Structures are given as structure tokens and as C-alpha cells.
């Protein structure tokens, strides 16, 4: 199914068309053809993607290349218009190498440039462990670490201030307390609905993660749940029963955001060790206003993550 909008009721709210900023212009003009490969950080034949560290214009860079799913709407054109080479045939069985026309053969690519050491580590395949973080651990180990180390959330502020991706906004509720912006996640190329992936980024800037949430945030969370689901149903025709609406703990970026993912798509980070369904979060906070402040939270951590070292030094693992 193609990801064309259904109905017109969720046109960008407050997202005016505007000239591109200098940053966007330079990103748009940067060509990946000058990317010099240094090493493969991770690759998966099953997921058909590759994560590569390299240099672009003398800057450290990471590029992620991914073959996109073959969907019903392009199937007929693909079969009809591809050049085909017979590879082998035996009785009723034959295999072909199909070469589809370029527009049906796109590779989704994400470039991070300049990339930090933390980006490189994020994509490097690594052994992971589970950590149990008590309320005290969060205050004495994790919070100081986050304050000193976490990824910059400049890209989030650019979205909230319409300095980037403004034309991609699917919906905005501008309320400073309970408002948010809903837009396609970088992981989604918007070509098909099977891997639909949107994120809701909240307007308040003082909520780092799930850990900060209390019952005071219930109006915000309910607003995201109700409006997010409504808009996705109207625009893409996907009902709530086909969506995984969740938060990550730990997130990579410490500005509260909620992931809306097609149930058909086994996206990275959907496992029980990292994902928290928004509906569970809402219920837990209804039952216990300080649930996420007080409870021990378990999350996966990579062997090379400096936070693990801090837990080790504190004698917690
Ligand atoms: P997360 O839970 O903090 O960490 O999610 P994760 O990246 O380990 O899942 C952040 C989400 O924001 C991810 O799903 C990213 O794909 C997405 N994302 C990251 N960046 C830098 C951008 C961006 O610049 N634009 C958009 N639209 N999405 C992004």
C-alpha cells in the first residue's frame, strides 16, 4: 500500500512553507558520492542494511544504506519493466536476476555528518547487557552522566522551531504544556505503510525521558495518544490496533518523544527490554503518580557504553 495521505484533515498546523535554512541547503547539496569508506560498523543480510563509518569532505561521517520493501503498488511495474537475466532453471524451478528501473530501485540512505564518536559507537555491533537502575542509581549515576554526555538534541529544537523538517510535519498541537509535533521518523521513507514510523516530539523542553514522568504529565501523554492515533487513522488509514505506540528507556536523545510504529514493522528497539507502551505508561501513572521516578527500571546497555562503566565503578554491576 502506498503511503499517500487519506483525507485532508491533518494538514500541517502552523507549519508554513518557508525557504530552506543555510544548514538545510548545505545538507541538501552535500553529495554522498564523496563518502570515503573507513569501516563497516554493522551489516545485516536479513534486514538488508549496512552501517558504514567514513569521511565526507574531511569530516567524520556515518552513512546507513537500506533496501526498501517491495510493495504491492510497485510490483506490477517492477515485473513488467525490469530487465531480467535467467540464472538457473531446473524442471519447474527457475531463478532470475531482475534489474528494475532506477525509480523502483531506490536505496534509503541516512547520512550523519559530522558524526561524533558516540554515533559511531551507537551503530557498531556490540554485546549488550541488561542493567537494573534503581531510583538512587538514576540520581547518583545516570542523571549526572546524561547531563555530561548525552547526544545533542539540537535536531529536536530545530523541528520544534521549524528550522528543519517543517514541510514534513504531519500534525502540530502548539500548546506549550501538552502540545507536540508529529512527523515521520528518519527511519521511515514514507514509501509504504508496512514500515510506518512517526515520532511525536513534545513542546515542553524539561522532560528528558520516561524517568521524569509523573501524573502531572498525564494530560500531555493522553493528548499525544488521542491526537496521534486519530491523525494517523485519518491520514494513513491505520487504526490504533495496528500501531505500537511506545517510549524507549534509555532513549538516545533526552527530550521526551513517543514512537508510533506499524505493528507489521519489527523496528529496532521494540523488544521488552527497551520499549514501554504509552498505554501502559499512562495506566501506571494513573495508579501511582510517581511510578517512573520510584521504580527500578531495566534497560539494555552496550558493552562500550560509558554509562556501564559508571555503574561498574559505583559497584552496581
Ligand atoms: P530514541 O528512542 O531516542 O533512540 O529515538 P533510538 O535512535 O536509539 O531509537 C529517537 C528517534 O528519533 C529514532 O527513532 C530516530 O530514528 C529518530 N531521529 C533521530 N534524528 C537525529 C532524527 C532527525 O533528525 N529527524 C527525524 N525526523 N527523526 C530523527
Amino acid at each position: 500500500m502506498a503511503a499517500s495521505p487519506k483525507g485532508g484533515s491533518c494538514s500541517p498546523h502552523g507549519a508554513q512553507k518557508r525557504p530552506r535554512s543555510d544548514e538545510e541547503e548545505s545538507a541538501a547539496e552535500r553529495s554522498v558520492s564523496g563518502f570515503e569508506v573507513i569501516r563497516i560498523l554493522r551489516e545485516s543480510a536479513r534486514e538488508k542494511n549496512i552501517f558504514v563509518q567514513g569521511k565526507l569532505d574531511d569530516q567524520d561521517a556515518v552513512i546507513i544504506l537500506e533496501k526498501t520493501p517491495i510493495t504491492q503498488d510497485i510490483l506490477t511495474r517492477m515485473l513488467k519493466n525490469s530487465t531480467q537475466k535467467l540464472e538457473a532453471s531446473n524442471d519447474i524451478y527457475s531463478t532470475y536476476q531482475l534489474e528494475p528501473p532506477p525509480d523502483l530501485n531506490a536505496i534509503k540512505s541516512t547520512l550523519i555528518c559530522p558524526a561524533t564518536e558516540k554515533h559511531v559507537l551507537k551503530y557498531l555491533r556490540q554485546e549488550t547487557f541488561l542493567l537494573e537502575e534503581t531510583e538512587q542509581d538514576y540520581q547518583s549515576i545516570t542523571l549526572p552522566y546524561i547531563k555530561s554526555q548525552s547526544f545533542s538534541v539540537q535536531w529536536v529544537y530545530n523541528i520544534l522551531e521549524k528550522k528543519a523538517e517543517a514541510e514534513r510535519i504531519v500534525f502540530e498541537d502548539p500548546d506549550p504544556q501538552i502540545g507536540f509535533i508529529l512527523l515521520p521518523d528518519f527511519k521511515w521513507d514514507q514509501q509504504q505503510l508496512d514500515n510506518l514510523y512517526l515520532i511525536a516530539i513534545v513542546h515542553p523542553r524539561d522532560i528528558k525521558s520516561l524517568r521524569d514522568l509523573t501524573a502531572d504529565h498525564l494530560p500531555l501523554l493522553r493528548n499525544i495518544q488521542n491526537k496521534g492515533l486519530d491523525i494517523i487513522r485519518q491520514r494513513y488509514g491505520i487504526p490504533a490496533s495496528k500501531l505500537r505506540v511506545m517510549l524507549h528507556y534509555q532513549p538516545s536523545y533526552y527530550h521526551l518523544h513517543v514512537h508510533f510504529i506499524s505493528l507489521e514493522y519489527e523496528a529496532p528497539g521494540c523488544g521488552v527490554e527497551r520499549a514501554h507502551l504509552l498505554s501502559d505508561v499512562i495506566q501506571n501513572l494513573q495508579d501511582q503518580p510517581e511510578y517512573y521516578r520510584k521504580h527500578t527500571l531495566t534497560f539494555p546497555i552496550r558493552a562500550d557504553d560509558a554509562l556501564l562503566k559508571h555503574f561498574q565503578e559505583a559497584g552496581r554491576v
Side-chain angles (χ1 to χ4, degrees):
M1 201 177 349
S4 56
K6 294 197 178 172
S9 50
C10 55
S11 57
H13 182 111
Q16 306 293 330
K17 280 262 174 212
R18 57 171 178 89
R20 281 180 177 165
S21 66
D22 290 350
E23 252 170 48
E24 284 174 296
E25 281 298 346
S26 67
E29 281 163 19
R30 195 154 42 199
S31 164
V32 297
S33 58
F35 189 97
E36 292 165 43
V37 174
I38 293 177
R39 64 171 165 157
I40 307 305
L41 299 169
R42 189 200 304 180
E43 62 190 310
S44 164
R46 192 174 69 87
E47 291 165 19
K48 300 189 179 51
N49 59 23
I50 189 163
F51 297 70
V52 188
Q53 181 186 0
K55 287 265 183 199
L56 185 61
D57 302 332
D58 284 334
Q59 290 184 305
D60 292 319
V62 168
I63 194 163
I64 303 161
L65 304 176
E66 184 182 352
K67 294 214 177 184
T68 49
I70 300 166
T71 53
Q72 197 178 345
D73 60 310
I74 61 165
L75 197 55
T76 311
R77 272 202 303 142
M78 187 174 259
L79 290 171
K80 210 171 175 172
N81 299 327
S82 295
T83 323
Q84 69 180 57
K85 284 185 208 143
L86 180 67
E87 286 186 326
S89 105
N90 182 346
D91 188 35
I92 60 170
Y93 307 99
S94 30
T95 64
Y96 299 89
Q97 186 77 34
L98 291 191
E99 288 175 9
D103 67 310
L104 301 182
N105 208 14
I107 305 271
K108 179 178 183 304
S109 320
T110 307
L111 175 71
I112 305 168
C113 183
T116 63
E117 181 63 16
K118 211 163 171 213
H119 288 111
V120 172
L121 294 178
K122 176 175 159 91
Y123 296 118
L124 188 65
R125 196 175 290 290
Q126 274 279 322
E127 196 178 353
T128 54
F129 303 92
L130 285 185
L131 258 189
E132 289 188 2
E133 179 196 69
T134 63
E135 180 190 3
Q136 290 75 22
D137 293 335
Y138 179 71
Q139 292 301 336
S140 63
I141 308 172
T142 312
L143 185 58
Y145 172 74
I146 291 169
K147 285 185 173 161
S148 68
Q149 292 288 322
S150 64
F151 273 176
S152 159
V153 290
Q154 189 54 50
W155 67 272
V156 171
Y157 297 155
N158 288 347
I159 289 171
L160 293 176
E161 292 164 18
K162 319 279 163 51
K163 290 183 180 159
E165 302 188 55
E167 62 292 340
R168 284 161 46 87
I169 293 176
V170 169
F171 173 79
E172 175 173 17
D173 176 340
D175 187 283
Q177 261 89 49
I178 63 162
F180 63 97
I181 284 182
L182 183 73
L183 83 169
D185 190 282
F186 260 10
K187 293 195 187 93
W188 188 35
D189 61 4
Q190 303 182 71
Q191 296 301 307
Q192 56 281 309
L193 294 179
D194 308 27
N195 61 347
L196 174 138
Y197 200 137
L198 296 157
I199 39 169
I201 298 177
V202 302
H203 270 303
R205 297 193 179 193
D206 58 345
I207 315 168
K208 286 183 285 308
S209 74
L210 185 66
R211 257 295 179 211
D212 284 342
L213 293 174
T214 67
D216 291 344
H217 299 111
L218 281 169
L220 168 71
L221 299 174
R222 290 193 192 111
N223 193 39
I224 294 174
Q225 186 176 48
N226 295 338
K227 293 197 180 132
L229 290 174
D230 213 30
I231 295 300
I232 292 176
R233 188 182 46 74
Q234 286 176 38
R235 175 149 175 162
Y236 302 105
I238 301 188
S241 59
K242 299 295 278 180
L243 287 168
R244 197 186 285 114
V245 185
M246 52 171 239
L247 293 87
H248 278 153
Y249 194 73
Q250 302 280 338
S252 295
Y253 304 95
Y254 288 88
H255 174 108
L256 193 77
H257 53 274
V258 176
H259 304 247
F260 287 76
I261 309 169
S262 162
L263 202 54
E264 310 300 320
Y265 179 32
E266 284 177 33
C270 283
V272 288
E273 69 277 30
R274 192 163 179 231
H276 296 255
L277 286 177
L278 179 60
S279 51
D280 288 345
V281 173
I282 290 174
Q283 285 188 59
N284 288 334
L285 290 174
Q286 280 170 181
D287 293 347
Q288 291 180 43
E290 299 257 289
Y291 184 98
Y292 291 100
R293 297 238 165 138
K294 303 281 175 214
H295 274 73
T296 294
L297 297 179
T298 302
F299 58 85
I301 192 158
R302 296 152 49 98
D304 61 4
D305 194 317
L307 182 58
L308 179 61
K309 213 173 284 158
H310 289 279
F311 269 76
Q312 284 164 339
E313 281 164 11
R316 291 288 296 121
V317 279

